[in-house]
Amino acid sequence: MTDSTMRTCIITGANSGIGKCAARQIAAKGLRVVMACRNMLQAEEVCAQIRAETGNDAVLARQVDLSLIASTRQFAKDFSAEFGVLDVLINNAADFDLARKRPFITSEENETQFATNLLSPFVLTEELLPLLRSRPDGRIINIASQGLMVYPNLTFDFENIRGDKSYSPAKTYYQTKLGLLMLSLALQERLAGSSISVHAVRVTNVKVDIARYPDISPILKAAYRVKSRFSISPDEMAKVYTALAAGERPSGFYYDEKMREVLCNKSAYDKDAQERLWMLCAEMAGDV
């Protein structure tokens, strides 16, 4: 029987990197942590490590392929049936493969970065809102990137969501992260006055495990090694996730690696664009 009094947190993509560190830190705070991952072999290994390190046996792995709407919905359905409670949702998982030369289209006819980084968080959040609404302090935490600062004038390109006109894995990634901020701001407005708060994290340069990207070029590998010298550890970045998930209820929206409130790209605040993107995601998800 699930303990309904135990605060429960979902972290997507928690089998490596910042997500793994956040799962360990949040578990150490005594929350039930459900790691939503595609690679179950790795996720189960990480679960065992975290349980041993924290003494918290309520760390569990459940499978989901966030590039597919059907899998995302099934995860939400199964989670709701199994646990029945949710206090914190951290949409952490992201697709960012610099070795990719052309868009990859899923079996559902969506570009995989758009589906994983933007559409799936939208669907997962919508599916789990009833559970979050039932709790006195529900929190939704979406993950953006400091790299958006390199594109201060970036606006969401509604005409190229499948990469048909042009494709760059980096620009597509930042498009999806901008879109996630837009949806987060729109959701915050929709949930005003409710028991749910919405927040976002601006992830800075974090040391990367190059082994996770075996197909990138030697030049990019060398660039990552240089970049790592000026980067913080995943564990340090994860402290912001943990503060937002398990600390005092935050009053702000967008936070950097030092838990300072920062501004989004100017275009993220465009309410017309927010609504257009919301309706586009709802249509693609089959909600309208």
Side-chain angles (χ1 to χ4, degrees):
M1 179 71 71
T2 297
D3 180 0
S4 63
T5 65
M6 191 176 196
R7 282 179 57 79
T8 300
C9 174
I10 291 174
I11 310 178
T12 64
N15 55 339
S16 63
I18 305 169
K20 174 182 174 180
C21 294
R24 182 175 60 248
Q25 292 177 17
I26 294 169
K29 297 287 187 181
L31 278 72
R32 179 189 294 115
V33 177
V34 178
M35 299 165 48
C37 305
R38 182 167 54 183
N39 185 335
M40 281 300 288
L41 179 62
Q42 186 179 21
E44 291 289 5
E45 290 176 354
V46 170
C47 270
Q49 292 171 10
I50 293 175
R51 287 194 291 263
E53 291 170 5
T54 64
N56 183 346
D57 290 331
V59 182
L60 309 152
R62 296 294 182 266
Q63 190 166 33
V64 62
D65 183 346
L66 294 167
S67 71
L68 299 173
I69 296 171
S71 179
T72 303
R73 285 198 193 283
Q74 189 62 50
F75 167 82
K77 180 180 179 181
D78 292 345
F79 175 89
S80 299
E82 181 178 2
F83 297 98
V85 294
L86 179 62
D87 299 272
V88 183
L89 171 60
I90 305 179
N91 287 305
N92 166 72
D95 183 327
F96 188 17
D97 183 355
L98 284 172
R100 192 172 294 151
K101 304 299 183 186
R102 59 184 61 86
F104 179 79
I105 306 301
T106 72
S107 59
E108 295 177 338
E109 296 299 317
N110 296 314
E111 191 276 318
T112 188
Q113 283 183 279
F114 180 90
T116 304
N117 302 354
L118 185 56
L119 189 55
S120 243
F122 176 84
V123 171
L124 189 58
T125 301
E126 286 290 292
E127 291 287 328
L128 294 172
L129 271 179
L131 294 185
L132 288 161
R133 286 184 188 278
S134 70
R135 303 297 262 185
D137 182 14
R139 305 184 192 185
I140 298 165
I141 302 165
N142 291 328
I143 309 305
S145 171
Q146 182 175 287
L148 281 169
M149 296 173 67
V150 179
Y151 304 94
N153 299 316
L154 183 68
T155 58
F156 195 86
D157 187 354
F158 288 93
E159 310 306 321
N160 194 39
I161 60 172
R162 282 169 47 98
D164 296 322
K165 291 195 306 182
S166 63
Y167 178 74
S168 155
K171 189 166 184 181
T172 300
Y173 175 79
Y174 292 121
Q175 278 275 330
T176 60
K177 289 303 181 182
L178 173 64
L180 191 56
L181 285 174
M182 293 163 64
L183 292 180
S184 301
L185 287 163
L187 182 62
Q188 182 186 55
E189 188 167 330
R190 282 169 162 80
L191 294 175
S194 76
S195 63
I196 304 172
S197 60
V198 181
H199 313 282
V201 178
R202 190 180 76 183
V203 171
T204 189
N205 292 333
V206 172
K207 289 182 173 63
V208 174
D209 179 5
I210 297 297
R212 291 173 57 193
Y213 305 100
D215 299 325
I216 64 174
S217 69
I219 293 175
L220 279 175
K221 287 181 181 179
Y224 267 124
R225 282 193 289 271
V226 172
K227 185 179 178 181
S228 287
R229 297 175 189 172
F230 308 96
S231 301
I232 66 174
S233 69
D235 203 59
E236 189 67 24
M237 189 68 241
K239 290 178 181 178
V240 180
Y241 290 39
T242 304
L244 291 174
E248 293 280 332
R249 184 176 176 120
S251 58
F253 172 68
Y254 195 27
Y255 292 90
D256 71 3
E257 73 280 5
K258 297 183 183 296
M259 258 319 265
R260 299 174 300 199
E261 194 170 4
V262 293
L263 294 174
C264 306
N265 287 47
K266 183 178 178 180
S267 64
Y269 298 101
D270 183 330
K271 291 186 181 296
D272 290 338
Q274 289 174 14
E275 191 61 24
R276 183 180 177 188
L277 182 57
W278 187 284
M279 293 308 296
L280 173 66
C281 288
E283 181 179 356
M284 294 177 72
D287 293 343
V288 294

